[in-house]
Amino acid sequence: MAPKNRLIIDTDPGVDDVLALLLALSAKATDLEVLAITLTFGNVDVRSCLRNVVAIFHILDKELSWRKAHSKPVGFEGITKFKPIVAIGADEPLQDRIESADYFHGVDGLAGTHTSHPHFSPEESWKRLFEQPPADDDLTRKAKTDGEVDLKEPTNAFVPSLEPAHKEILRLLRENEPDTITLIAIGPLTNFALAAAEDPETFLRCKEVVTMGGTVDGIGNVTPVAEFNVYADPHAAARVYALSSPIPASTMPPTTEGERSFHLGQYPPSLSKQLKLTLMSLDITEYHMLSRGEFSAFAKPFLDEGSPLAAWMSAFMTPMLDKMERLHIGHEGEGAALALHDPLCIWYVLTQDDARWKASERSPEDIRIETKGQWTRGMTVGDKRARRRRNSDGEVPHDRGNWLGNRSGNRVDRMLESPGREEASKYLLRSIFGG
């Protein structure tokens, strides 16, 4: 039976990105297949993000061996039944300076785990998997073909790609039936913007884009008004959001000659369809938490028995929860908690038939991205005025930007309600650890 959902996950791991990837890879094969994991800069630089993804496969290889040896349910059908592609993507935004969140996630993206717990890190030989061998290196090619090169890594768990991430995304969309692949973005939207710029019609073959980013009704987490993923590359977010509009040109970011995003050009004036865009903003993700008490209750029995996965997760979750305790009032002791920003995207895909998922009553909303503001870079701007949309009749007074026109503006489904704030963490932990 074909999986109910087939995903490409674009990510910048990041602690909560790792939790999202573990949730996706631990799903049943009938529910979900991860076709590819594509990497972008974001929380840390793109090469560090790649190391963290390779570390996931490294640890899961050990975990599955441990579970088999201890007669435990193996799980993780995302790698026992499938073999995801891993591809390296953008190492900088379309425009402006690079922003990272290493101040929060640690310089390696995993709370310093690669330094504090080096035995959990994959050996450096994995880097060779993502390097193009010299054209005349016949011996190397033959050795790889014959299986004689021992990289001491679980390379049978994923397919390393030498193509840029945005080209792998387009290839997979092109080679599969339209409306069968969901694109998940849990980092800056740069790779999706590059793919859409190169071939917008192929990009629009996706079933849906589900993205974690932005804040409309609430406050930002990197500035008073901006969420990190959008702030890190607002031009990329604006270009992707624009594809949800009946007239993408109406919300495309302004650019000037000489800027990198200028050279991506405009979209064709007529496209075959509008992008279905579902937004998991801070307006919902901030209220779905994983507490120290919950994590310990699930992980400790596995940890006591010697689970490599439980040990590795504890190594980065403990300092992250300690940090949350230091930073936030009301996060003391067992109540210290980490928001499940990125896992919510995966949880949504797995449970979207649940009627308790509800979008904003204004959905689909005209949500636009601020790219030029001195203090508002990366702000996701929604129209909160209690006014009706109108026909595009040329009426413009008091509606600069044509926010109320029937054809102008973006069309974004912003999720505000889930199957339950307490259910997200339980679903995540049950999927990863069983039970």
Side-chain angles (χ1 to χ4, degrees):
M1 177 185 293
K4 186 176 179 181
N5 300 285
R6 306 175 77 216
L7 308 184
I8 296 173
I9 303 176
D10 196 70
T11 178
D12 60 336
V15 170
D16 57 325
D17 301 72
V18 168
L19 296 178
L21 290 169
L22 289 173
L23 175 57
L25 294 173
S26 62
K28 293 186 180 300
T30 52
D31 291 334
L32 189 152
E33 176 186 3
V34 179
L35 291 169
I37 299 170
T38 54
L39 283 305
T40 178
F41 77 97
N43 289 320
V44 287
D45 66 276
V46 73
R47 301 300 298 198
S48 295
C49 292
L50 176 61
R51 177 170 65 167
N52 292 341
V53 167
V54 174
I56 292 174
F57 290 102
H58 174 75
I59 292 296
L60 289 181
D61 182 62
K62 297 179 181 299
E63 176 71 8
L64 299 189
S65 296
W66 177 82
R67 290 188 182 187
K68 289 174 184 175
H70 289 76
S71 301
K72 294 184 178 293
V74 174
F76 285 96
E77 293 186 0
I79 60 174
T80 62
K81 306 286 188 183
F82 306 112
K83 195 171 182 179
I85 294 166
V86 174
I88 306 168
D91 59 1
E92 62 179 355
L94 298 183
Q95 204 166 299
D96 297 324
R97 64 193 180 273
I98 296 175
E99 300 286 344
S100 71
D102 55 4
Y103 59 88
F104 183 74
H105 291 270
V107 293
D108 63 356
L110 287 179
T113 303
H114 291 291
T115 300
S116 62
H117 298 74
H119 56 291
F120 290 140
S121 300
E123 294 186 21
E124 291 295 293
S125 55
W126 65 265
K127 294 180 179 178
R128 290 167 54 189
L129 298 171
F130 296 90
E131 295 173 356
Q132 185 73 50
D136 59 350
D137 195 348
D138 293 329
L139 181 61
T140 299
R141 286 200 303 275
K142 183 178 187 303
K144 286 186 177 181
T145 301
D146 294 345
E148 295 171 5
V149 174
D150 181 13
L151 294 178
K152 299 180 180 178
E153 296 303 332
T155 55
N156 62 329
F158 66 91
V159 178
S161 174
L162 300 180
E163 289 293 313
H166 73 279
K167 291 187 179 294
E168 281 289 3
I169 292 167
L170 290 173
R171 181 184 66 81
L172 288 167
L173 290 171
R174 197 175 290 120
E175 293 178 0
N176 288 273
E177 291 294 318
D179 302 318
T180 60
I181 296 176
T182 297
L183 303 180
I184 305 286
I186 51 179
L189 281 160
T190 315
N191 287 331
F192 286 4
L194 290 170
E198 181 169 316
D199 189 344
E201 286 294 351
T202 294
F203 187 79
L204 289 172
R205 288 169 65 93
C206 73
K207 178 180 179 182
E208 178 181 14
V209 167
V210 180
T211 179
M212 190 278 131
T215 180
V216 176
D217 295 327
I219 58 175
N221 61 3
V222 66
T223 75
V225 296
E227 177 275 334
F228 175 79
N229 286 342
V230 177
Y231 183 84
D233 196 343
H235 285 79
R239 292 184 66 95
V240 173
Y241 280 42
L243 286 171
S244 72
S245 172
I247 306 175
S250 67
T251 63
M252 283 283 278
T255 54
T256 59
E257 190 169 1
E259 297 174 340
R260 287 191 298 277
S261 55
F262 172 85
H263 298 287
L264 295 181
Q266 298 289 316
Y267 296 126
S270 178
L271 292 169
S272 61
K273 60 182 282 193
Q274 292 170 234
L275 177 69
K276 178 173 172 51
L277 181 63
T278 299
L279 180 63
M280 294 291 173
S281 65
L282 295 182
D283 302 310
I284 184 172
T285 64
E286 284 279 12
Y287 302 101
H288 293 75
M289 312 289 285
L290 172 59
S291 72
R292 190 195 306 272
E294 275 188 296
F295 176 74
S296 297
F298 270 87
K300 191 174 186 308
F302 279 78
L303 188 63
D304 290 345
E305 293 183 62
S307 159
L309 178 60
W312 181 59
M313 291 181 67
S314 297
F316 62 75
M317 286 295 293
T318 298
M320 290 303 295
L321 290 166
D322 289 344
K323 181 174 289 188
M324 296 303 294
E325 188 169 2
R326 291 193 304 271
L327 292 176
H328 297 281
I329 297 171
H331 278 246
E332 290 79 25
E334 296 294 279
L338 185 72
L340 297 174
H341 301 297
D342 296 336
L344 234 64
C345 291
I346 309 299
W347 188 38
Y348 167 74
V349 170
L350 287 166
T351 62
Q352 59 190 294
D353 292 338
D354 192 316
R356 291 174 292 178
W357 284 107
K358 288 186 171 61
S360 158
E361 62 182 14
R362 300 193 296 271
S363 288
E365 296 178 76
D366 185 358
I367 297 175
R368 308 186 192 183
I369 308 298
E370 177 58 62
T371 59
K372 291 292 187 183
Q374 180 180 3
W375 309 117
T376 55
R377 163 180 164 159
M379 182 179 183
T380 41
V381 183
D383 189 352
K384 302 175 185 178
R385 298 173 294 179
R387 294 180 60 183
R388 299 181 187 277
R389 284 195 175 275
R390 55 177 175 70
N391 293 328
S392 299
D393 54 7
E395 181 185 346
V396 295
H398 312 297
D399 186 28
R400 293 187 181 274
N402 205 23
W403 286 77
L404 300 173
N406 279 339
R407 289 185 51 75
S408 62
N410 297 328
R411 302 290 186 267
V412 178
D413 291 311
R414 178 170 59 107
M415 288 294 151
L416 286 184
E417 294 182 34
S418 76
R421 295 182 180 183
E422 297 79 20
E423 289 302 311
S425 56
K426 292 180 175 60
Y427 190 103
L428 172 78
L429 294 169
R430 281 197 300 265
S431 185
I432 293 173
F433 291 113

